[in-house]
């Protein structure tokens, strides 16, 4: 499933690259006079935002799962520790088997899939750099209305008041011009 | 302060957004700033203590609500101080900051000082509110040449220069407010007869109802309320607002937000399909409220729908197809909506400004469809068979380029194909419209989703119409491109019409042939061989003097050229030639003989 998603993302990015390499006449309204921002540029920023958000969510999910696995393993070990020495001796192969299962899970295809997704993202960011599309992350920065759009406030001690305490989406610039404001929550 | 030669700009000082426009070469234009036509009507003090307006102020509104002021228009007329950071300002002062920004935008755009403006206000504004607006203009360094009602401005966009008496309904459905006015125009004077509205009804309500529906669906499936978490709610709102916009042209849209929430450590994704019919079902109560207001405004003006000459649409929410459809049904007329509904009021204010300057201004010119385009569809069954009617897809007066999708159903589950017959016209009866193309779409049999057929029309500025018919459940699709779809005629019919007219021109005394030289250079003698008709020359007049009867016969012969058989035509030509020579040779006997012969021939061939 994840492999299919990666393949689809790669295909999309290849298509984007082809369009960007094509002449301006083939790019639709990218080359529109004046202030027109082409749908292709917006699509790139959307794709980058979605892909990085997905990677971040998967990483977070993976981290939660890892914590749970560790907690499970600890419980098993505690359970075995509570057994009599004889019972522990007899149960040793089972403990070895369970530990083996855990390590097998850790080195499963998901790690490889995550690596693949990160490669896709790196490739997309390379394309963005070539096209002068810049991503700006704002977490912890002082609020700047020229590149950020506040959607609310948060009471927190982690960041000084008036600084970005949560970033929902980053800002994107194209040729120095704001394509998309960062959606943020500001520390109160 | 203001010099009489200064240009006058038109300003729509809105609750949510403001716009400035000016008339150039008889046509009003919106003055933008880095491509942005709308200026958010928001003012604030940033963390560095500087004054900010427009997008920057709007961006900081949620972060620093105590340092930012929005919707000041709602407080105009009351002299209650409004806190903004460590200062307190009066409502006209806040409005003055917005006006000053618009004035600077105008100065930059036109490259000269701007000191005078026509400013629009809602029709329901009282004298205090109007005076406050005037004061705001003065504080911004502008002379308010006139304060006009927003519906008056909207009316001017479509009817500037008209001296006829007209009664017009202006339906203004914006992002946060709704109002409707009945306006009477006569001899250049516009009067608001009645005005009704709801200051808490707008596009935001439509977003909310869609959000509620989608989040309920999500909760039913996953047991998680997306509106409880601030981040999920914000993403849901963005997705729903975009979906609402897409449904203005598309029949179905997808809402997809990955990793929008989590449950028991598992990520949850939002995928929802929204059809236009579902969205319309959700928003119908709101649209009905606007229709009721319009009915109320009509009653207040002591008028009926039949007395209305036009219905002008203003405000972004009028882009929603249901609004237009309901108004069309209710008022039995095609609404005026060619001009961008977000800019219409400012453009109208600019028209008024130009009129004060003494410029001649006509209605705003916008490329629109001159005819309604649609397909033939079955609307019911009678004992004689299916009852076919014209089903409009792109309505007359739609701004170009236009794009719209409409869903239809198969007539039977086992149907294997359907004909898409594209028509142009205004009649519900198919036969009374112009056929501009047809094609077949193969279908897969089956009920349910396979019953649905979506027809998409895309009309470009140059009149090329692309019609795509799709069976979404199977992906089967077929398309037809019609060039020159805005023309009255199909290519074949046009050539037929050209031939018919050419023949009529040839047979008429009033028209020249393309080969003729202007100024009657051709002589009677030179033309006599091909029987072309020209105006009488000096020589033909001489012929008439010498032998009026013979000249009359020659005239009749020339008129008979086209309908004659080849042999008759040759005989006639030869006889005419001989007769002319006889006249020129001054041979009365020969003229008499040939005239008699020609008279006989004419009698038989007629």
């Amino acid at each position: 499933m994840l492999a299919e998603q990666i393949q689809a993302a790669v295909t999309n990015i290849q298509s984007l690259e082809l369009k960007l390499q094509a002449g301006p006449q083939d790019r639709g309204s990218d080359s529109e006079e004046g202030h027109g921002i082409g749908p292709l540029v917006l699509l790139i920023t959307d794709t980058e935002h979605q892909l990085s958000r997905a990677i971040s969510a998967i990483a977070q999910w993976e981290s939660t799962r890892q914590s749970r696995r560790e907690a499970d393993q600890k419980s098993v070990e505690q359970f075995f520790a509570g057994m009599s020495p004889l019972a522990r001796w007899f149960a040793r192969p089972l403990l070895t088997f369970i530990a083996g299962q855990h390590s097998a899970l850790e080195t499963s295809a998901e790690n490889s899939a995550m690596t693949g997704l990160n490669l896709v993202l790196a490739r997309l960011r390379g394309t963005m750099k070539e096209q002068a599309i810049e991503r700006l992350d704002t977490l912890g920065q002082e609020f700047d209305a020229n590149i950020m759009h506040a959607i609310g406030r948060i009471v927190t001690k982690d960041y000084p008041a008036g600084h970005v305490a949560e970033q929902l989406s980053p800002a994107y610039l194209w040729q120095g011009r704001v394509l998309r404001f960062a959606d943020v929550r500001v520390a109160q | 302060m203001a010099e009489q030669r200064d240009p006058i700009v038109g300003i729509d000082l809105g609750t949510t957004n403001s716009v400035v426009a000016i008339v150039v070469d008889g046509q009003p234009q919106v003055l933008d700033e880095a491509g942005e036509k709308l200026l958010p009507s928001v003012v604030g003090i940033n963390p560095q203590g500087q004054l900010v307006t427009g997008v920057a102020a709007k961006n900081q509104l949620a972060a620093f609500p105590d340092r930012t002021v929005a919707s000041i228009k709602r407080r105009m007329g009351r002299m209650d101080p409004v806190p903004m950071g460590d200062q307190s300002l009066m409502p006209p002062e806040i409005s003055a900051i917005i006006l000053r920004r618009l004035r600077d935008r105008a100065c930059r755009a036109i490259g000269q000082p701007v000191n005078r403006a026509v400013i629009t206000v809602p029709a329901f504004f009282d004298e205090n509110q109007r005076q406050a607006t005037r004061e705001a203009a003065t504080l911004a360094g502008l002379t308010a040449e006139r304060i006009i009602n927003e519906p008056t401005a909207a009316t001017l966009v479509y009817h500037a220069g008209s001296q006829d008496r007209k009664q017009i309904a202006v339906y203004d459905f914006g992002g946060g407010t709704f109002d409707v006015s009945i306006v009477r125009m006569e001899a250049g004077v516009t009067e608001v007869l009645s005005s009704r509205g709801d200051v808490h009804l707008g596009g935001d309500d439509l977003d909310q109802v869609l959000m509620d529906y989608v989040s309920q669906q999500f909760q039913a499936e996953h047991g998680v309320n997306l509106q409880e978490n601030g981040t999920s709610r914000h993403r849901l709102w963005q997705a729903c607002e975009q979906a609402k916009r897409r449904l203005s042209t598309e029949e179905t849209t997808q809402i997809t937000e990955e990793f929008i929430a989590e449950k028991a450590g598992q990520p949850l994704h939002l995928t929802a399909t929204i059809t236009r019919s579902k969205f319309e079902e959700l928003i119908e109560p709101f649209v009905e409220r606007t229709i009721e207001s319009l009915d109320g405004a009509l009653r207040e003006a002591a008028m009926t729908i039949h007395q209305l000459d036009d219905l002008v649409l203003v405000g972004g929410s009028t882009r929603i197809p249901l609004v237009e459809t309901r108004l069309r049904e209710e008022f039995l007329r095609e609404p005026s909506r060619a001009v961008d509904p977000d800019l219409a009021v400012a453009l109208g204010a600019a028209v008024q400004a130009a009129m004060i300057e003494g410029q001649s201004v006509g209605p705003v010119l916008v490329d629109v469809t001159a005819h309604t385009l649609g397909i033939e569809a079955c609307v019911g069954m009678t004992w004689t068979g299916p009852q076919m009617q014209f089903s409009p897809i792109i309505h007359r007066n739609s701004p170009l380029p236009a794009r719209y999708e409409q869903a239809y159903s198969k007539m039977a589950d086992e149907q294997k194909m359907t004909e898409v017959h594209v028509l142009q016209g205004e009649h519900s009866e198919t036969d009374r419209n112009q056929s501009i193309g047809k094609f077949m779409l193969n279908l897969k049999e089956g009920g349910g989703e396979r019953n649905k057929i979506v027809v998409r029309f895309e009309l470009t500025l140059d009149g090329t119409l692309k019609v795509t018919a799709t069976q979404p459940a199977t992906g089967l699709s077929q398309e037809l491109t019609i060039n020159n779809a805005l023309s009255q005629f199909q290519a074949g019919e046009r050539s037929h019409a050209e031939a018919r007219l050419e023949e009529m021109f040839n047979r008429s005394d009033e028209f020249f042939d393309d080969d003729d030289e202007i100024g009657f250079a051709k002589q009677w003698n030179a033309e006599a061989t091909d029987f072309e008709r020209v105006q009488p020359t000096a020589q033909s007049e001489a012929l008439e003097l010498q032998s009026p009867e013979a000249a009359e016969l020659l005239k009749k012969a020339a008129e008979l050229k086209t309908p004659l058989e080849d042999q008759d035509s040759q005989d006639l030509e030869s006889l005419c030639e001989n007769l002319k020579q006889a006249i020129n040779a001054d041979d009365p006997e020969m003229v008499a003989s040939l005239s008699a012969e020609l008279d006989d021939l004419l009698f038989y061939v007629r």
Side-chain angles (χ1 to χ4, degrees):
Chain A
M1 182 69 176
L2 201 55
E4 282 172 14
Q5 285 178 349
I6 294 171
Q7 188 53 50
V10 170
T11 311
N12 286 341
I13 290 163
Q14 279 172 342
S15 158
L16 286 174
E17 284 175 341
L18 282 173
K19 284 183 183 169
L20 287 166
Q21 283 159 12
Q25 69 279 13
D26 299 328
R27 286 193 206 169
S29 52
D30 270 1
S31 55
E32 274 175 8
E33 31 90 40
H35 311 285
I37 296 167
L40 196 57
V41 171
L42 294 173
L43 178 66
I44 290 172
T45 59
D46 273 352
T47 308
E48 200 277 345
H49 172 49
Q50 286 160 9
L51 192 56
S52 44
R53 185 165 60 192
I55 289 172
S56 163
I58 294 169
Q60 199 179 342
W61 175 50
E62 188 55 38
S63 158
T64 311
R65 219 162 55 146
Q66 179 65 23
S67 309
R68 281 193 184 169
R69 268 204 299 264
E70 283 169 7
D72 290 349
Q73 197 167 354
K74 210 170 176 180
S75 322
V76 171
E77 282 169 5
Q78 279 173 351
F79 181 77
F80 274 91
M83 293 165 81
S84 68
L86 186 63
R88 265 207 308 275
W89 188 84
F90 277 111
R92 245 185 353 183
L94 182 60
L95 189 61
T96 313
F97 174 76
I98 291 170
Q101 284 295 307
H102 277 294
S103 61
L105 278 171
E106 278 167 21
T107 55
S108 65
E110 274 130 28
N111 283 340
S112 160
M114 271 296 282
T115 309
L117 274 178
N118 276 307
L119 286 171
V120 171
L121 183 60
R123 187 167 166 178
L124 180 61
R125 287 183 175 168
T127 304
M128 285 168 61
K129 198 173 175 186
E130 283 169 19
Q131 300 299 323
I133 302 170
E134 193 183 348
R135 174 190 162 116
L136 289 179
D137 285 297
T138 59
L139 189 67
Q141 289 181 18
E142 189 176 6
F143 180 80
D144 178 358
N146 294 313
I147 55 165
M148 302 170 198
H149 172 232
I151 61 160
R153 294 190 289 177
I154 296 179
V155 178
T156 176
K157 288 179 181 168
D158 296 340
Y159 299 95
H163 285 60
V164 177
E166 187 188 351
Q167 175 183 283
L168 277 74
S169 62
Y172 290 92
L173 272 63
W174 181 46
Q175 297 171 350
R177 188 180 157 206
V178 178
L179 268 183
R180 180 175 167 160
F181 293 105
D183 282 331
V184 299
R185 281 205 179 81
V186 178
Q188 204 169 347
Chain B
M1 179 177 65
E3 287 184 24
Q4 287 307 302
R5 282 191 186 178
D6 288 348
I8 309 178
V9 294
I11 293 178
D12 169 13
L13 187 58
T15 307
T16 314
N17 292 300
S18 296
V19 184
V20 57
I22 193 168
V23 170
V24 178
D25 297 331
Q27 281 296 298
Q29 290 178 8
V30 168
L31 302 173
D32 65 1
E33 199 173 325
E36 296 298 332
K37 292 180 175 174
L38 306 179
L39 178 78
S41 305
V42 188
V43 175
I45 304 288
N46 72 9
Q48 290 73 41
Q50 294 166 327
L51 182 67
V52 286
T53 52
V55 174
K58 187 183 170 192
N59 280 349
Q60 72 162 37
L61 180 62
F64 311 114
D66 50 339
R67 288 212 298 254
T68 316
V69 180
S71 304
I72 192 63
K73 192 172 167 180
R74 295 186 200 272
R75 302 195 206 184
M76 289 293 273
R78 295 201 305 260
M79 291 306 271
D80 302 329
V82 180
M84 188 168 77
D86 53 4
Q87 302 180 42
S88 262
L89 299 172
M90 291 297 175
E93 290 178 289
I94 306 281
S95 286
I97 296 168
I98 300 165
L99 287 170
R100 177 59 189 264
R101 174 78 187 269
L102 291 169
R103 178 193 154 188
D104 291 352
R105 174 184 279 196
C107 289
R108 267 196 296 273
I110 64 175
Q112 57 177 308
V114 172
N115 298 307
R116 299 194 290 162
V118 168
I119 303 171
T120 62
V121 294
F124 60 78
F125 256 30
D126 60 22
E127 198 42 51
N128 271 345
Q129 291 167 303
R130 286 165 199 263
Q131 186 54 35
T133 307
R134 259 186 220 102
E135 282 167 8
T138 308
L139 289 170
L142 286 166
T143 302
E145 289 291 337
R146 203 161 295 175
I147 301 286
I148 65 168
N149 291 316
E150 286 162 7
T152 302
T155 306
L156 284 173
V157 173
Y158 291 96
H159 299 282
S162 169
Q163 295 298 309
D164 301 341
R165 182 188 171 110
K166 283 181 181 168
Q167 285 154 162
I168 298 157
V170 180
Y171 176 100
D172 186 347
F173 196 7
T177 60
F178 167 76
D179 55 82
V180 58
S181 304
I182 309 298
V183 170
R184 178 181 289 152
M185 278 185 91
E186 192 167 14
V189 177
T190 310
E191 179 192 4
V192 178
L193 301 177
S194 66
S195 193
R196 282 209 174 192
D198 187 337
V199 291
H200 298 292
L201 172 61
D204 299 343
D205 296 295
L206 313 184
D207 295 339
Q208 185 59 50
V209 78
L210 184 57
M211 276 173 73
D212 290 344
Y213 171 73
V214 175
S215 67
Q216 279 163 17
Q217 299 287 105
F218 189 85
Q219 190 161 14
E221 191 180 347
H222 301 288
V224 173
N225 184 355
L226 289 175
Q227 300 204 57
E228 278 177 357
N229 176 287
T231 304
S232 305
R233 184 183 156 77
H234 180 69
R235 286 181 63 188
L236 177 68
W237 170 75
Q238 281 185 326
C240 289
E241 205 264 343
Q242 284 165 14
K244 177 188 77 174
R245 286 170 187 264
R246 288 195 298 273
L247 287 169
S248 290
T249 52
E250 293 167 20
E251 198 277 326
T252 304
T253 191
Q254 290 279 339
I255 292 178
T256 309
E257 286 291 315
E258 71 291 339
F259 302 100
I260 194 167
E262 66 163 43
K263 186 183 178 185
Q266 292 291 317
L268 299 174
H269 312 295
L270 167 66
T271 51
T273 301
I274 311 290
T275 61
R276 190 187 292 138
S277 61
K278 184 69 210 176
F279 178 60
E280 290 181 346
E281 182 189 318
L282 295 170
I283 65 167
E284 198 178 4
F286 297 100
V287 177
E288 286 311 311
R289 271 167 62 187
T290 69
I291 302 286
E292 283 164 19
S293 286
L294 187 38
D295 287 339
L298 273 171
R299 277 196 302 275
E300 210 172 291
M303 283 173 57
T304 65
I305 53 168
H306 303 291
Q307 290 171 283
L308 283 180
D309 297 297
D310 195 8
L311 180 59
V312 171
L313 303 191
V314 182
S317 298
T318 59
R319 293 189 177 95
I320 293 169
L322 179 67
V323 170
E324 203 181 305
T325 306
R326 285 292 294 115
L327 289 171
R328 196 179 289 120
E329 283 169 4
E330 198 76 15
F331 294 92
L332 310 170
R333 64 169 58 253
E334 202 64 47
S336 291
R337 66 211 163 85
V339 174
D340 185 331
D342 289 321
L343 310 176
V345 171
L347 292 169
V351 169
Q352 178 69 71
M355 287 160 75
I356 292 169
E357 286 178 316
Q359 290 188 49
S360 171
V361 190
V364 178
L365 297 177
V366 184
D367 289 308
V368 294
T369 53
H371 308 286
T372 300
L373 296 162
I375 64 165
E376 186 177 25
C378 175
V379 292
M381 294 297 287
T382 63
W383 63 274
T384 53
Q387 188 190 349
M388 306 304 284
Q389 262 193 11
F390 177 49
S391 168
I393 293 180
I394 292 180
H395 285 267
R396 187 159 58 100
N397 284 337
S398 296
L400 293 176
R403 194 177 74 218
Y404 198 70
E405 281 182 359
Q406 185 77 49
Y408 297 89
S409 290
K410 284 198 294 187
M411 290 182 71
D413 287 356
E414 58 276 14
Q415 192 175 335
K416 288 181 179 170
M417 61 168 55
T418 187
E419 184 186 63
V420 179
H421 185 192
V422 187
L423 300 161
Q424 177 197 73
E426 313 304 326
H427 299 282
S428 58
E429 290 167 44
T430 307
D431 295 344
R432 297 182 68 187
N433 296 299
Q434 186 80 32
S435 169
I436 57 171
K438 53 177 76 171
F439 62 97
M440 300 302 294
L441 170 68
N442 289 321
L443 302 166
K444 283 197 176 158
E445 294 176 61
E449 277 300 299
R450 285 194 176 187
N451 268 323
K452 188 171 172 182
I453 298 165
V454 174
V455 179
R456 181 184 178 90
F457 273 34
E458 288 172 87
L459 184 60
T460 62
L461 268 171
D462 64 3
T464 304
L465 174 68
K466 191 165 111 179
V467 181
T468 313
T470 311
Q471 187 181 28
T474 61
L476 286 171
S477 182
Q478 192 68 41
E479 69 177 46
L480 170 72
T481 300
I482 301 164
N483 293 315
N484 211 14
L486 296 176
S487 164
Q488 289 272 10
F489 297 104
Q490 260 189 290
E493 286 170 346
R494 185 185 294 111
S495 58
H496 180 64
E498 280 169 0
R500 189 168 52 221
L501 284 177
E502 184 61 29
E503 187 182 319
M504 290 169 77
F505 292 150
N506 286 337
R507 294 180 66 181
S508 167
D509 289 343
E510 292 181 359
F511 300 93
F512 285 103
D513 211 47
D514 285 345
D515 299 332
D516 291 338
E517 292 172 33
I518 303 297
F520 316 124
K522 287 189 178 178
Q523 302 295 304
W524 168 262
N525 281 343
E527 293 159 14
T529 51
D530 58 7
F531 289 82
E532 291 292 345
R533 289 298 311 260
V534 293
Q535 295 288 323
T537 63
Q539 200 165 357
S540 66
E541 281 168 8
L543 277 173
E544 276 190 39
L545 284 172
Q546 286 173 32
S547 179
E549 287 172 1
E552 184 60 31
L553 287 169
L554 285 168
K555 209 169 162 183
K556 285 179 184 171
E559 285 169 0
L560 273 173
K561 176 208 164 189
T562 312
L564 294 185
E565 297 292 329
D566 280 354
Q567 187 55 50
D568 292 337
S569 178
Q570 283 171 18
D571 291 347
L572 195 64
E573 190 177 332
S574 158
L575 206 48
C576 287
E577 185 61 28
N578 292 339
L579 180 57
K580 278 181 218 164
Q581 283 175 8
I583 294 169
N584 287 334
D586 200 16
D587 184 347
E589 283 181 15
M590 185 60 78
V591 168
S593 165
L594 290 169
S595 293
E597 209 175 322
L598 182 58
D599 197 18
D600 285 347
L601 183 60
L602 288 173
F603 178 80
Y604 286 113
V605 299
R606 262 182 195 171

